PDB file of all heavy atoms in Angstrom:
ATOM      1  N   LEU A 256       0.820  -1.215   0.000  1.00  0.00           N
ATOM      2  CA  LEU A 256       0.000   0.000   0.000  1.00  0.00           C
ATOM      3  C   LEU A 256       0.853   1.264   0.000  1.00  0.00           C
ATOM      4  O   LEU A 256       0.529   2.249  -0.672  1.00  0.00           O
ATOM      5  CB  LEU A 256      -0.933  -0.007   1.216  1.00  0.00           C
ATOM      6  CG  LEU A 256      -2.030  -1.092   1.211  1.00  0.00           C
ATOM      7  CD1 LEU A 256      -2.821  -1.056   2.503  1.00  0.00           C
ATOM      8  CD2 LEU A 256      -2.963  -0.918   0.016  1.00  0.00           C
ATOM      9  N   ARG A 257       1.957   1.244   0.742  1.00  0.00           N
ATOM     10  CA  ARG A 257       2.828   2.416   0.769  1.00  0.00           C
ATOM     11  C   ARG A 257       3.523   2.644  -0.565  1.00  0.00           C
ATOM     12  O   ARG A 257       3.838   3.770  -0.929  1.00  0.00           O
ATOM     13  CB  ARG A 257       3.868   2.259   1.877  1.00  0.00           C
ATOM     14  CG  ARG A 257       3.302   2.417   3.281  1.00  0.00           C
ATOM     15  CD  ARG A 257       4.360   2.172   4.329  1.00  0.00           C
ATOM     16  NE  ARG A 257       3.816   2.319   5.676  1.00  0.00           N
ATOM     17  CZ  ARG A 257       4.485   2.059   6.783  1.00  0.00           C
ATOM     18  NH1 ARG A 257       5.741   1.619   6.702  1.00  0.00           N
ATOM     19  NH2 ARG A 257       3.914   2.227   7.964  1.00  0.00           N
ATOM     20  N   SER A 258       3.751   1.562  -1.299  1.00  0.00           N
ATOM     21  CA  SER A 258       4.431   1.695  -2.584  1.00  0.00           C
ATOM     22  C   SER A 258       3.562   2.386  -3.624  1.00  0.00           C
ATOM     23  O   SER A 258       4.067   2.863  -4.643  1.00  0.00           O
ATOM     24  CB  SER A 258       4.862   0.319  -3.101  1.00  0.00           C
ATOM     25  OG  SER A 258       3.737  -0.465  -3.434  1.00  0.00           O
ATOM     26  N   LEU A 259       2.254   2.455  -3.366  1.00  0.00           N
ATOM     27  CA  LEU A 259       1.350   3.056  -4.342  1.00  0.00           C
ATOM     28  C   LEU A 259       1.588   4.558  -4.509  1.00  0.00           C
ATOM     29  O   LEU A 259       1.203   5.137  -5.518  1.00  0.00           O
ATOM     30  CB  LEU A 259      -0.109   2.810  -3.928  1.00  0.00           C
ATOM     31  CG  LEU A 259      -0.555   1.348  -3.931  1.00  0.00           C
ATOM     32  CD1 LEU A 259      -2.004   1.244  -3.488  1.00  0.00           C
ATOM     33  CD2 LEU A 259      -0.385   0.740  -5.319  1.00  0.00           C
ATOM     34  N   ARG A 260       2.206   5.178  -3.506  1.00  0.00           N
ATOM     35  CA  ARG A 260       2.466   6.618  -3.630  1.00  0.00           C
ATOM     36  C   ARG A 260       3.452   6.901  -4.766  1.00  0.00           C
ATOM     37  O   ARG A 260       3.524   8.019  -5.263  1.00  0.00           O
ATOM     38  CB  ARG A 260       3.026   7.163  -2.317  1.00  0.00           C
ATOM     39  CG  ARG A 260       4.440   6.715  -1.996  1.00  0.00           C
ATOM     40  CD  ARG A 260       4.935   7.259  -0.663  1.00  0.00           C
ATOM     41  NE  ARG A 260       4.167   6.720   0.444  1.00  0.00           N
ATOM     42  CZ  ARG A 260       4.436   6.995   1.725  1.00  0.00           C
ATOM     43  NH1 ARG A 260       5.414   7.845   2.021  1.00  0.00           N
ATOM     44  NH2 ARG A 260       3.720   6.451   2.670  1.00  0.00           N
ATOM     45  N   TYR A 261       4.217   5.887  -5.146  1.00  0.00           N
ATOM     46  CA  TYR A 261       5.178   6.065  -6.233  1.00  0.00           C
ATOM     47  C   TYR A 261       4.615   5.575  -7.563  1.00  0.00           C
ATOM     48  O   TYR A 261       5.282   5.635  -8.590  1.00  0.00           O
ATOM     49  CB  TYR A 261       6.466   5.300  -5.934  1.00  0.00           C
ATOM     50  CG  TYR A 261       7.080   5.691  -4.608  1.00  0.00           C
ATOM     51  CD1 TYR A 261       7.021   4.819  -3.526  1.00  0.00           C
ATOM     52  CD2 TYR A 261       7.700   6.926  -4.436  1.00  0.00           C
ATOM     53  CE1 TYR A 261       7.565   5.173  -2.291  1.00  0.00           C
ATOM     54  CE2 TYR A 261       8.248   7.287  -3.210  1.00  0.00           C
ATOM     55  CZ  TYR A 261       8.179   6.397  -2.154  1.00  0.00           C
ATOM     56  OH  TYR A 261       8.721   6.756  -0.937  1.00  0.00           O
ATOM     57  N   ALA A 262       3.364   5.045  -7.537  1.00  0.00           N
ATOM     58  CA  ALA A 262       2.788   4.495  -8.766  1.00  0.00           C
ATOM     59  C   ALA A 262       2.251   5.621  -9.642  1.00  0.00           C
ATOM     60  O   ALA A 262       1.889   6.694  -9.183  1.00  0.00           O
ATOM     61  CB  ALA A 262       1.667   3.509  -8.426  1.00  0.00           C
ATOM     62  N   ARG A 263       2.192   5.373 -10.926  1.00  0.00           N
ATOM     63  CA  ARG A 263       1.638   6.319 -11.897  1.00  0.00           C
ATOM     64  C   ARG A 263       0.494   5.620 -12.627  1.00  0.00           C
ATOM     65  O   ARG A 263       0.612   4.452 -13.003  1.00  0.00           O
ATOM     66  CB  ARG A 263       2.698   6.781 -12.904  1.00  0.00           C
ATOM     67  CG  ARG A 263       3.848   7.533 -12.254  1.00  0.00           C
ATOM     68  CD  ARG A 263       3.372   8.887 -11.722  1.00  0.00           C
ATOM     69  NE  ARG A 263       4.468   9.656 -11.173  1.00  0.00           N
ATOM     70  CZ  ARG A 263       4.814   9.627  -9.898  1.00  0.00           C
ATOM     71  NH1 ARG A 263       4.172   8.834  -9.054  1.00  0.00           N
ATOM     72  NH2 ARG A 263       5.817  10.376  -9.458  1.00  0.00           N
ATOM     73  N   GLY A 264      -0.611   6.338 -12.826  1.00  0.00           N
ATOM     74  CA  GLY A 264      -1.768   5.717 -13.473  1.00  0.00           C
ATOM     75  C   GLY A 264      -1.468   5.221 -14.866  1.00  0.00           C
ATOM     76  O   GLY A 264      -1.699   4.087 -15.208  1.00  0.00           O
ATOM     77  N   GLY A 265      -0.935   6.084 -15.735  1.00  0.00           N
ATOM     78  CA  GLY A 265      -0.497   5.709 -17.081  1.00  0.00           C
ATOM     79  C   GLY A 265      -1.566   4.981 -17.851  1.00  0.00           C
ATOM     80  O   GLY A 265      -2.723   5.312 -17.869  1.00  0.00           O
ATOM     81  N   GLY A 266      -1.113   3.920 -18.541  1.00  0.00           N
ATOM     82  CA  GLY A 266      -2.022   3.171 -19.396  1.00  0.00           C
ATOM     83  C   GLY A 266      -2.795   2.108 -18.679  1.00  0.00           C
ATOM     84  O   GLY A 266      -3.538   1.365 -19.276  1.00  0.00           O
ATOM     85  N   LYS A 267      -2.613   2.001 -17.350  1.00  0.00           N
ATOM     86  CA  LYS A 267      -3.320   0.948 -16.635  1.00  0.00           C
ATOM     87  C   LYS A 267      -4.798   1.280 -16.457  1.00  0.00           C
ATOM     88  O   LYS A 267      -5.597   0.418 -16.132  1.00  0.00           O
ATOM     89  CB  LYS A 267      -2.681   0.707 -15.269  1.00  0.00           C
ATOM     90  CG  LYS A 267      -1.301   0.123 -15.372  1.00  0.00           C
ATOM     91  CD  LYS A 267      -0.782  -0.278 -13.995  1.00  0.00           C
ATOM     92  CE  LYS A 267       0.567  -0.948 -14.096  1.00  0.00           C
ATOM     93  NZ  LYS A 267       1.068  -1.399 -12.798  1.00  0.00           N
ATOM     94  N   LYS A 268      -5.135   2.590 -16.649  1.00  0.00           N
ATOM     95  CA  LYS A 268      -6.522   3.031 -16.547  1.00  0.00           C
ATOM     96  C   LYS A 268      -7.136   2.668 -15.203  1.00  0.00           C
ATOM     97  O   LYS A 268      -8.326   2.432 -15.088  1.00  0.00           O
ATOM     98  CB  LYS A 268      -7.359   2.438 -17.688  1.00  0.00           C
ATOM     99  CG  LYS A 268      -6.871   2.869 -19.062  1.00  0.00           C
ATOM    100  CD  LYS A 268      -7.707   2.253 -20.151  1.00  0.00           C
ATOM    101  CE  LYS A 268      -7.194   2.663 -21.524  1.00  0.00           C
ATOM    102  NZ  LYS A 268      -7.978   2.047 -22.606  1.00  0.00           N
ATOM    103  N   GLY A 269      -6.323   2.577 -14.179  1.00  0.00           N
ATOM    104  CA  GLY A 269      -6.831   2.338 -12.837  1.00  0.00           C
ATOM    105  C   GLY A 269      -7.092   0.892 -12.507  1.00  0.00           C
ATOM    106  O   GLY A 269      -7.232   0.537 -11.353  1.00  0.00           O
ATOM    107  N   GLY A 270      -7.200   0.009 -13.517  1.00  0.00           N
ATOM    108  CA  GLY A 270      -7.517  -1.390 -13.241  1.00  0.00           C
ATOM    109  C   GLY A 270      -6.423  -2.103 -12.481  1.00  0.00           C
ATOM    110  O   GLY A 270      -6.674  -2.753 -11.471  1.00  0.00           O
ATOM    111  N   GLY A 271      -5.185  -1.995 -12.963  1.00  0.00           N
ATOM    112  CA  GLY A 271      -4.072  -2.654 -12.291  1.00  0.00           C
ATOM    113  C   GLY A 271      -3.829  -2.070 -10.922  1.00  0.00           C
ATOM    114  O   GLY A 271      -3.508  -2.796  -9.975  1.00  0.00           O
ATOM    115  N   LEU A 272      -4.009  -0.757 -10.796  1.00  0.00           N
ATOM    116  CA  LEU A 272      -3.796  -0.105  -9.499  1.00  0.00           C
ATOM    117  C   LEU A 272      -4.837  -0.579  -8.489  1.00  0.00           C
ATOM    118  O   LEU A 272      -4.521  -0.831  -7.318  1.00  0.00           O
ATOM    119  CB  LEU A 272      -3.885   1.411  -9.666  1.00  0.00           C
ATOM    120  CG  LEU A 272      -3.388   2.256  -8.484  1.00  0.00           C
ATOM    121  CD1 LEU A 272      -1.928   1.977  -8.213  1.00  0.00           C
ATOM    122  CD2 LEU A 272      -3.606   3.734  -8.775  1.00  0.00           C
ATOM    123  N   ALA A 273      -6.088  -0.731  -8.916  1.00  0.00           N
ATOM    124  CA  ALA A 273      -7.137  -1.221  -8.017  1.00  0.00           C
ATOM    125  C   ALA A 273      -6.839  -2.651  -7.564  1.00  0.00           C
ATOM    126  O   ALA A 273      -7.100  -3.026  -6.408  1.00  0.00           O
ATOM    127  CB  ALA A 273      -8.492  -1.161  -8.718  1.00  0.00           C
ATOM    128  N   LEU A 274      -6.290  -3.455  -8.467  1.00  0.00           N
ATOM    129  CA  LEU A 274      -5.922  -4.833  -8.121  1.00  0.00           C
ATOM    130  C   LEU A 274      -4.857  -4.841  -7.033  1.00  0.00           C
ATOM    131  O   LEU A 274      -4.940  -5.597  -6.057  1.00  0.00           O
ATOM    132  CB  LEU A 274      -5.423  -5.556  -9.370  1.00  0.00           C
ATOM    133  CG  LEU A 274      -4.863  -6.972  -9.158  1.00  0.00           C
ATOM    134  CD1 LEU A 274      -5.956  -7.888  -8.647  1.00  0.00           C
ATOM    135  CD2 LEU A 274      -4.271  -7.501 -10.459  1.00  0.00           C
ATOM    136  N   ILE A 275      -3.848  -3.993  -7.179  1.00  0.00           N
ATOM    137  CA  ILE A 275      -2.769  -3.919  -6.187  1.00  0.00           C
ATOM    138  C   ILE A 275      -3.308  -3.457  -4.840  1.00  0.00           C
ATOM    139  O   ILE A 275      -2.948  -3.987  -3.778  1.00  0.00           O
ATOM    140  CB  ILE A 275      -1.662  -2.981  -6.683  1.00  0.00           C
ATOM    141  CG1 ILE A 275      -1.010  -3.564  -7.937  1.00  0.00           C
ATOM    142  CG2 ILE A 275      -0.608  -2.770  -5.602  1.00  0.00           C
ATOM    143  CD1 ILE A 275      -0.003  -2.632  -8.595  1.00  0.00           C
ATOM    144  N   VAL A 276      -4.199  -2.440  -4.843  1.00  0.00           N
ATOM    145  CA  VAL A 276      -4.791  -1.948  -3.599  1.00  0.00           C
ATOM    146  C   VAL A 276      -5.574  -3.059  -2.902  1.00  0.00           C
ATOM    147  O   VAL A 276      -5.472  -3.250  -1.679  1.00  0.00           O
ATOM    148  CB  VAL A 276      -5.713  -0.748  -3.876  1.00  0.00           C
ATOM    149  CG1 VAL A 276      -6.513  -0.391  -2.630  1.00  0.00           C
ATOM    150  CG2 VAL A 276      -4.896   0.454  -4.334  1.00  0.00           C
ATOM    151  N   ALA A 277      -6.349  -3.820  -3.662  1.00  0.00           N
ATOM    152  CA  ALA A 277      -7.158  -4.892  -3.081  1.00  0.00           C
ATOM    153  C   ALA A 277      -6.278  -5.965  -2.453  1.00  0.00           C
ATOM    154  O   ALA A 277      -6.555  -6.451  -1.348  1.00  0.00           O
ATOM    155  CB  ALA A 277      -8.065  -5.499  -4.155  1.00  0.00           C
ATOM    156  N   ILE A 278      -5.221  -6.349  -3.151  1.00  0.00           N
ATOM    157  CA  ILE A 278      -4.312  -7.369  -2.614  1.00  0.00           C
ATOM    158  C   ILE A 278      -3.610  -6.851  -1.357  1.00  0.00           C
ATOM    159  O   ILE A 278      -3.489  -7.562  -0.352  1.00  0.00           O
ATOM    160  CB  ILE A 278      -3.292  -7.791  -3.683  1.00  0.00           C
ATOM    161  CG1 ILE A 278      -3.995  -8.533  -4.820  1.00  0.00           C
ATOM    162  CG2 ILE A 278      -2.200  -8.662  -3.068  1.00  0.00           C
ATOM    163  CD1 ILE A 278      -3.080  -8.892  -5.970  1.00  0.00           C
ATOM    164  N   GLY A 279      -3.157  -5.601  -1.407  1.00  0.00           N
ATOM    165  CA  GLY A 279      -2.492  -5.019  -0.243  1.00  0.00           C
ATOM    166  C   GLY A 279      -3.406  -4.971   0.971  1.00  0.00           C
ATOM    167  O   GLY A 279      -2.990  -5.307   2.090  1.00  0.00           O
ATOM    168  N   LEU A 280      -4.652  -4.549   0.763  1.00  0.00           N
ATOM    169  CA  LEU A 280      -5.602  -4.498   1.876  1.00  0.00           C
ATOM    170  C   LEU A 280      -5.896  -5.889   2.430  1.00  0.00           C
ATOM    171  O   LEU A 280      -6.020  -6.077   3.649  1.00  0.00           O
ATOM    172  CB  LEU A 280      -6.902  -3.834   1.418  1.00  0.00           C
ATOM    173  CG  LEU A 280      -6.862  -2.315   1.260  1.00  0.00           C
ATOM    174  CD1 LEU A 280      -8.173  -1.811   0.656  1.00  0.00           C
ATOM    175  CD2 LEU A 280      -6.617  -1.630   2.606  1.00  0.00           C
ATOM    176  N   ALA A 281      -6.024  -6.879   1.530  1.00  0.00           N
ATOM    177  CA  ALA A 281      -6.287  -8.248   1.982  1.00  0.00           C
ATOM    178  C   ALA A 281      -5.153  -8.763   2.850  1.00  0.00           C
ATOM    179  O   ALA A 281      -5.374  -9.355   3.917  1.00  0.00           O
ATOM    180  CB  ALA A 281      -6.493  -9.168   0.775  1.00  0.00           C
ATOM    181  N   LEU A 282      -3.915  -8.550   2.410  1.00  0.00           N
ATOM    182  CA  LEU A 282      -2.762  -8.990   3.191  1.00  0.00           C
ATOM    183  C   LEU A 282      -2.702  -8.263   4.531  1.00  0.00           C
ATOM    184  O   LEU A 282      -2.436  -8.874   5.575  1.00  0.00           O
ATOM    185  CB  LEU A 282      -1.472  -8.759   2.403  1.00  0.00           C
ATOM    186  CG  LEU A 282      -1.265  -9.608   1.147  1.00  0.00           C
ATOM    187  CD1 LEU A 282      -0.019  -9.144   0.400  1.00  0.00           C
ATOM    188  CD2 LEU A 282      -1.138 -11.077   1.505  1.00  0.00           C
ATOM    189  N   LEU A 283      -2.952  -6.956   4.504  1.00  0.00           N
ATOM    190  CA  LEU A 283      -2.862  -6.151   5.723  1.00  0.00           C
ATOM    191  C   LEU A 283      -3.904  -6.598   6.747  1.00  0.00           C
ATOM    192  O   LEU A 283      -3.570  -6.863   7.915  1.00  0.00           O
ATOM    193  CB  LEU A 283      -3.063  -4.672   5.373  1.00  0.00           C
ATOM    194  CG  LEU A 283      -3.030  -3.678   6.536  1.00  0.00           C
ATOM    195  CD1 LEU A 283      -1.652  -3.622   7.150  1.00  0.00           C
ATOM    196  CD2 LEU A 283      -3.456  -2.294   6.064  1.00  0.00           C
ATOM    197  N   VAL A 284      -5.158  -6.687   6.330  1.00  0.00           N
ATOM    198  CA  VAL A 284      -6.234  -7.002   7.274  1.00  0.00           C
ATOM    199  C   VAL A 284      -6.115  -8.424   7.796  1.00  0.00           C
ATOM    200  O   VAL A 284      -6.120  -8.665   9.013  1.00  0.00           O
ATOM    201  CB  VAL A 284      -7.606  -6.786   6.597  1.00  0.00           C
ATOM    202  CG1 VAL A 284      -8.726  -7.284   7.504  1.00  0.00           C
ATOM    203  CG2 VAL A 284      -7.807  -5.314   6.273  1.00  0.00           C
ATOM    204  N   LEU A 285      -5.980  -9.403   6.900  1.00  0.00           N
ATOM    205  CA  LEU A 285      -5.937 -10.794   7.345  1.00  0.00           C
ATOM    206  C   LEU A 285      -4.672 -11.097   8.137  1.00  0.00           C
ATOM    207  O   LEU A 285      -4.698 -11.867   9.095  1.00  0.00           O
ATOM    208  CB  LEU A 285      -6.054 -11.727   6.138  1.00  0.00           C
ATOM    209  CG  LEU A 285      -7.434 -11.765   5.480  1.00  0.00           C
ATOM    210  CD1 LEU A 285      -7.413 -12.622   4.224  1.00  0.00           C
ATOM    211  CD2 LEU A 285      -8.466 -12.311   6.454  1.00  0.00           C
ATOM    212  N   GLY A 286      -3.562 -10.495   7.734  1.00  0.00           N
ATOM    213  CA  GLY A 286      -2.321 -10.720   8.469  1.00  0.00           C
ATOM    214  C   GLY A 286      -2.406 -10.238   9.902  1.00  0.00           C
ATOM    215  O   GLY A 286      -2.063 -10.961  10.839  1.00  0.00           O
ATOM    216  N   PHE A 287      -2.894  -9.022  10.107  1.00  0.00           N
ATOM    217  CA  PHE A 287      -2.951  -8.471  11.458  1.00  0.00           C
ATOM    218  C   PHE A 287      -4.104  -9.061  12.281  1.00  0.00           C
ATOM    219  O   PHE A 287      -3.978  -9.214  13.494  1.00  0.00           O
ATOM    220  CB  PHE A 287      -3.043  -6.950  11.413  1.00  0.00           C
ATOM    221  CG  PHE A 287      -1.725  -6.296  11.109  1.00  0.00           C
ATOM    222  CD1 PHE A 287      -1.529  -5.616   9.920  1.00  0.00           C
ATOM    223  CD2 PHE A 287      -0.664  -6.396  11.985  1.00  0.00           C
ATOM    224  CE1 PHE A 287      -0.303  -5.022   9.625  1.00  0.00           C
ATOM    225  CE2 PHE A 287       0.557  -5.809  11.709  1.00  0.00           C
ATOM    226  CZ  PHE A 287       0.736  -5.121  10.525  1.00  0.00           C
ATOM    227  N   VAL A 288      -5.217  -9.412  11.638  1.00  0.00           N
ATOM    228  CA  VAL A 288      -6.286 -10.094  12.365  1.00  0.00           C
ATOM    229  C   VAL A 288      -5.810 -11.463  12.834  1.00  0.00           C
ATOM    230  O   VAL A 288      -6.035 -11.864  13.987  1.00  0.00           O
ATOM    231  CB  VAL A 288      -7.547 -10.219  11.483  1.00  0.00           C
ATOM    232  CG1 VAL A 288      -8.547 -11.178  12.126  1.00  0.00           C
ATOM    233  CG2 VAL A 288      -8.201  -8.866  11.294  1.00  0.00           C
ATOM    234  N   GLY A 289      -5.127 -12.191  11.950  1.00  0.00           N
ATOM    235  CA  GLY A 289      -4.586 -13.490  12.337  1.00  0.00           C
ATOM    236  C   GLY A 289      -3.573 -13.369  13.456  1.00  0.00           C
ATOM    237  O   GLY A 289      -3.560 -14.172  14.396  1.00  0.00           O
ATOM    238  N   MET A 290      -2.715 -12.350  13.383  1.00  0.00           N
ATOM    239  CA  MET A 290      -1.716 -12.143  14.429  1.00  0.00           C
ATOM    240  C   MET A 290      -2.381 -11.795  15.754  1.00  0.00           C
ATOM    241  O   MET A 290      -1.931 -12.231  16.821  1.00  0.00           O
ATOM    242  CB  MET A 290      -0.753 -11.045  14.009  1.00  0.00           C
ATOM    243  CG  MET A 290       0.438 -10.887  14.947  1.00  0.00           C
ATOM    244  SD  MET A 290       1.438  -9.451  14.516  1.00  0.00           S
ATOM    245  CE  MET A 290       0.314  -8.120  14.882  1.00  0.00           C
TER     246      MET A 290
END
């Protein structure tokens, strides 16, 4: 999630960026809930 500040929208049209955000949130929430 922190790496997204360096991301550029470009030709991804937001789709790839949304995928990365979703994966990052899933890892963050499930990892800390499990811990």
Side-chain angles (χ1 to χ4, degrees):
L256 293 176
R257 287 177 180 174
S258 67
L259 295 179
R260 70 181 65 177
Y261 304 107
R263 297 291 184 268
K267 293 188 176 182
K268 299 179 181 179
L272 193 60
L274 174 63
I275 295 174
V276 170
I278 293 175
L280 284 174
L282 293 174
L283 179 66
V284 173
L285 289 175
F287 283 113
V288 168
M290 188 187 67

